[in-house]
């Protein structure tokens, strides 16, 4: 299992600091788990392969391109800094 941990500053609250951990087995396209924490509380979630396919189809994006965008937004860290915004709701 591979994991990444990134610090994020959501645009919804720029002064706040959150930590986002993403875990996956083969690649993001086969599904992944998320853990989001503000160091006081933590939230977890799972995204299945079917969820990814459904979301890509809903936004009419090629599935492989969608998975690449997920990779950039969730695990690329410094290489994508400033290119993606997070909103915590």
């Amino acid at each position: 299992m591979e994991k990444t941990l990134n610090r994020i500053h959501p645009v919804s609250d720029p002064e706040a600091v959150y930590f986002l951990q993403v875990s996956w087995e083969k690649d993001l396209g086969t599904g992944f788990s998320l853990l989001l924490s503000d160091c006081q509380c933590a939230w977890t979630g799972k995204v299945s392969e079917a969820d990814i396919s459904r979301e890509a189809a809903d936004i009419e994006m090629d599935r492989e391109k969608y998975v690449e965008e997920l990779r950039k937004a969730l695990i690329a860290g410094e290489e994508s800094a400033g290119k993606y915004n997070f909103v915590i709701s």
Side-chain angles (χ1 to χ4, degrees):
M1 176 175 283
E2 294 189 54
K3 293 182 183 185
T4 63
L5 180 65
N6 289 306
R7 180 179 18 220
I8 61 172
H9 300 276
V11 294
S12 54
D13 186 4
E15 298 301 315
V17 176
Y18 287 82
F19 294 92
L20 178 64
Q21 178 180 292
V22 181
S23 307
W24 65 97
E25 289 293 331
K26 297 177 185 174
D27 65 57
L28 287 183
T30 61
F32 55 92
S33 297
L34 298 166
L35 183 136
L36 180 68
S37 177
D38 64 0
C39 296
Q40 293 182 11
C41 297
W43 302 269
T44 62
K46 286 188 176 264
V47 178
S48 71
E49 188 170 2
D51 293 332
I52 293 167
S53 294
R54 186 173 32 258
E55 182 66 21
D58 286 351
I59 63 172
E60 299 177 352
M61 182 183 278
D62 175 71
R63 188 180 185 287
E64 287 74 30
K65 172 75 173 153
Y66 183 71
V67 171
E68 179 60 20
E69 291 299 316
L70 283 174
R71 187 195 68 74
K72 289 176 186 175
L74 298 176
I75 66 174
E78 292 298 316
E79 99 184 41
S80 294
K83 295 180 183 177
Y84 295 91
N85 295 318
F86 294 89
V87 175
I88 308 295
S89 60

